[in-house]
Amino acid sequence: MATQDRVQTNVKLMRLILFVFSESERYEAGESSKPEWVKAAVLHEMLLEIQDFTSKEIDVSHQALEEGALSRDPNNSYTEKQALAMANGRPVFTITPPINHSFTEGSAVSPGEVVVGMHGSDSAPNLQPNGMRSRDSRESLIPEEHKETWLTILAQVCIPFIIAGLGMVGAGLILDQVKAWKVFKEVPEFIVLVTPLLGLKGNLEMTLASRLSTHANLGHMDSPQNQWHICAGNLSLTQVQAIVVGFLASVVAIIMGLIKEEKFVLQNAFLLCASSMLTAAIASCALGILMVAVIVLSKKLNINPDNVATPIAASLGDVTTLGLLAWLASILYEELDAKPWLSPSIIGAYILVTPLWIWISHKNEYTKQVLITGWPPVLTAMLISSGGGLILDLASAKFEPMALYQPVINGVGGNLVSVQASRISTALHRNCQMGELPGKLPGAPNRVWVSPWTVFCRSGVDSTAARVLLGIVIPGHFIFATVTHFVSSSESNYTVVFLGFYLLAALTQVAFLLYIAQLLINWLWTRKLDPDTSTIPYLTALGDLIGTGLLYLAFEIQSVF
């Protein structure tokens, strides 16, 4: 009797599945007006039918096959593999029900995975609608070897994060010292230039790290030939972007200085432009080569490069860029009177060599599209970061210790959100078709907006990573602020009141950036724009602007007490 009931249930389930297929085909052929998402609704009803079963797999028996329950066409024909399976007495189809049926936001059914697959098939087709997967959790999307616990994420992120933070502390100490140098006093536009140039690590190096991490995780860099091809193209691309962004950042700084002081000195403009282009090009080349080495080594050590590449880029990016800018600006400034042709010559040399880098990038299949479409986020990010530089220029006159903390708060925020953006982007590239979000029902529109609860408080891998990254903000900034206080030779304004408002500002900044990252990546992906190229520049630039503004607010509030 139990066997008969089992067979009857199997027949009913198979008929439900066939109904889904036939309705979908009729809808696509224009013969049915029923919406395509009827598939998800019917499969959900099927799940309710089998929720009383204790077994996780239900086999379709020979008796069900003999009754014709699996007919896919009027001739009742089967594929060669199906016939072979029946002859060997093996089940042709299996259905794996979920553990629970809790609903998720933006999804019609549970986050558990329903797999309807053909035994013996090479492709092991998954006939599950997209909507059967949770928008928040990609656990069912990620192969077993790619799943990470919160402890794994913390272990891989923590050490690079601390190293990166100490590098940013070093950048703050350098900025605090060089702002008193003669060149920075005589050409105050250099202070405005500092923020967008430091933002280059987000615009270029972190974006490069994110792109290469995605290639590595997708297996594109497994062969030495592909590895060289991808890396050469991306390094050429970063040179093009660095030269252009360095030039434009200096132009923006000149315009802001002109508005503020209402005077223009041509020699100073050449000096600013040459220093900016030279710094951007050298820093991007050095850090780009380092990123390639880090990602290749990470894969060899079985470490997720998404967790370590962007923090390492951040750790050396600020110190390298700021140190180069101060050193090169001082050298060129000393030669300003004796060799007035030097700065214009440097600008001309970079203008002449740029077409070569453009040609190499355009010939490379991995960077051609980025070369064409990757400019809006980079240039927009530069303008946003310049706003942060203007705030720093105006506020540092009132609060001198602000220069100590500005690279730290901006760098940590950009560092953490870049890790999250790189992870989400890799998951989307690995598991989803461009333009389709996980959790989307077939035929239904993508749902870009998610609540903060979904981003931070769900059980999915993205939420777990967000909580880990948010959780290290307070202890990390406490360590960095304390080190800054004890190492700095100038007044650091290190008081309990300031520390409290500073930590609150840092936490607010990172929480906002992590939430915006999820929305921005969703929005870009639905418009078939690569998040690896577009997301990190916007996020790090927002981090610069918001971080500098919140830091200034913390100093203002502290001054009241």
Side-chain angles (χ1 to χ4, degrees):
M1 186 66 183
T3 304
Q4 185 178 357
D5 291 341
R6 182 180 178 86
V7 170
Q8 288 175 352
T9 303
N10 287 335
V11 170
K12 185 176 181 180
L13 295 175
M14 291 306 103
R15 284 174 178 162
L16 281 169
I17 294 174
L18 291 177
F19 171 74
V20 171
F21 293 151
S22 64
E23 283 300 312
S24 178
E25 289 171 358
R26 288 181 61 205
Y27 178 76
E28 290 171 1
E31 300 173 0
S32 171
S33 60
K34 290 185 179 181
E36 195 176 2
W37 49 259
V38 72
K39 293 190 295 184
V42 173
L43 280 178
H44 181 240
E45 293 299 321
M46 180 186 71
L47 293 177
L48 296 179
E49 291 286 340
I50 63 176
Q51 64 183 344
D52 293 332
F53 278 80
T54 55
S55 171
K56 287 189 178 180
E57 261 196 8
I58 301 175
D59 298 340
V60 179
S61 65
H62 276 163
Q63 186 172 347
L65 292 172
E66 290 165 3
E67 290 179 9
L70 295 177
S71 274
R72 284 279 294 151
D73 55 63
N75 299 323
N76 198 27
S77 61
Y78 295 97
T79 65
E80 182 180 347
K81 285 185 179 180
Q82 285 176 301
L84 210 60
M86 286 188 286
N88 293 334
R90 290 159 50 203
V92 178
F93 289 88
T94 61
I95 304 170
T96 307
I99 296 174
N100 61 69
H101 296 279
S102 60
F103 289 86
T104 62
E105 183 177 359
S107 174
V109 287
S110 75
E113 185 174 24
V114 180
V115 177
V116 184
M118 189 192 312
H119 283 271
S121 168
D122 293 333
S123 58
N126 181 3
L127 305 180
Q128 169 195 14
N130 289 340
M132 301 296 288
R133 291 187 173 116
S134 164
R135 174 184 301 275
D136 172 61
S137 174
R138 294 185 176 87
E139 289 291 350
S140 61
L141 291 169
I142 302 174
E144 196 66 39
E145 65 270 19
H146 295 298
K147 292 182 180 178
E148 295 173 289
T149 65
W150 71 268
L151 197 57
T152 304
I153 297 170
L154 180 64
Q156 292 187 6
V157 169
C158 196
I159 294 176
F161 169 71
I162 295 297
I163 295 172
L166 294 176
M168 294 160 197
V169 169
L173 295 172
I174 292 173
L175 180 58
D176 187 52
Q177 293 296 319
V178 300
K179 70 179 183 180
W181 288 11
K182 186 177 181 180
V183 62
F184 281 78
K185 291 288 188 182
E186 295 293 326
V187 189
E189 290 85 357
F190 273 110
I191 294 293
V192 179
L193 185 63
V194 164
T195 302
L197 274 188
L198 293 185
L200 274 180
K201 73 178 186 302
N203 295 343
L204 305 182
E205 280 75 40
M206 286 184 174
T207 304
L208 171 66
S210 181
R211 285 199 304 268
L212 294 181
S213 295
T214 297
H215 282 306
N217 281 322
L218 295 179
H220 298 165
M221 295 175 66
D222 290 347
S223 71
Q225 184 177 2
N226 267 4
Q227 194 177 100
W228 165 253
H229 196 49
I230 290 171
C231 294
N234 276 279
L235 289 174
S236 300
L237 176 64
T238 56
Q239 279 300 291
V240 177
Q241 293 175 325
I243 292 168
V244 173
V245 172
F247 173 76
L248 293 179
S250 65
V251 170
V252 171
I254 291 167
I255 293 171
M256 288 185 174
L258 185 62
I259 294 171
K260 181 182 174 184
E261 299 188 10
E262 298 183 354
K263 67 175 182 178
F264 176 77
V265 180
L266 184 60
Q267 279 190 322
N268 289 351
F270 281 136
L271 171 65
L272 201 70
C273 188
S275 301
S276 180
M277 294 175 72
L278 202 55
T279 299
I282 294 174
S284 290
C285 180
L287 292 171
I289 292 171
L290 177 65
M291 286 303 95
V292 170
V294 166
I295 288 166
V296 171
L297 185 61
S298 296
K299 290 304 291 180
K300 289 184 181 297
L301 298 177
N302 200 28
I303 296 173
N304 185 354
D306 282 322
N307 291 337
V308 298
T310 50
I312 290 176
S315 67
L316 296 177
D318 285 346
V319 174
T320 304
T321 303
L322 191 52
L324 272 173
L325 177 64
W327 179 57
L328 293 171
S330 297
I331 292 175
L332 292 176
Y333 181 75
E334 293 297 328
E335 301 293 336
L336 201 60
D337 294 327
K339 300 176 181 177
W341 49 266
L342 184 57
S343 293
S345 299
I346 291 171
I347 297 169
Y350 274 112
I351 290 174
L352 290 175
V353 80
T354 300
L356 172 63
W357 299 124
I358 293 174
W359 180 78
I360 295 173
S361 303
H362 191 266
K363 296 290 288 183
N364 192 298
E365 61 181 301
Y366 294 103
T367 55
K368 181 179 179 179
Q369 190 63 29
V370 182
L371 178 67
I372 298 169
T373 63
W375 291 104
V378 170
L379 298 180
T380 305
M382 180 206 69
L383 292 174
I384 296 171
S385 293
S386 296
L390 184 60
I391 295 173
L392 176 64
D393 184 38
L394 297 173
S396 59
K398 184 177 181 181
F399 302 108
E400 289 192 3
M402 190 167 168
L404 281 171
Y405 297 100
Q406 190 257 6
V408 180
I409 192 169
N410 289 353
V412 169
N415 178 0
L416 295 179
V417 76
S418 296
V419 171
Q420 180 74 337
S422 184
R423 291 174 56 85
I424 296 173
S425 179
T426 295
L428 288 173
H429 277 287
R430 181 189 288 133
N431 305 304
C432 302
Q433 183 179 0
M434 186 76 84
E436 300 288 331
L437 290 173
K440 174 188 176 297
L441 293 176
N446 283 297
R447 186 172 180 181
V448 172
W449 182 87
V450 292
S451 67
W453 174 268
T454 300
V455 173
F456 294 106
C457 302
R458 302 301 288 269
S459 59
V461 66
D462 293 341
S463 292
T464 301
R467 289 193 297 272
V468 169
L469 296 174
L470 194 61
I472 62 179
V473 172
I474 297 295
H477 269 292
F478 178 78
I479 293 171
F480 305 144
T482 304
V483 170
T484 298
H485 169 66
F486 284 106
V487 173
S488 173
S489 59
S490 59
E491 174 59 38
S492 63
N493 205 47
Y494 188 83
T495 64
V496 174
V497 174
F498 168 74
L499 193 60
F501 285 113
Y502 171 74
L503 294 178
L504 180 61
L507 188 66
T508 303
Q509 177 209 32
V510 174
F512 176 79
L513 290 176
L514 290 174
Y515 178 63
I516 292 298
Q518 187 73 61
L519 302 186
L520 182 59
I521 292 171
N522 286 350
W523 185 80
L524 291 169
W525 187 261
T526 58
R527 278 150 185 79
K528 299 185 178 181
L529 297 172
D530 188 359
D532 278 329
T533 301
S534 306
T535 307
I536 292 179
Y538 288 128
L539 293 173
T540 53
L542 276 175
D544 290 344
L545 183 61
I546 295 168
T548 307
L550 289 174
L551 180 62
Y552 172 69
L553 188 61
F555 272 98
E556 282 285 7
I557 295 173
Q558 187 267 343
S559 66
V560 175
F561 290 89

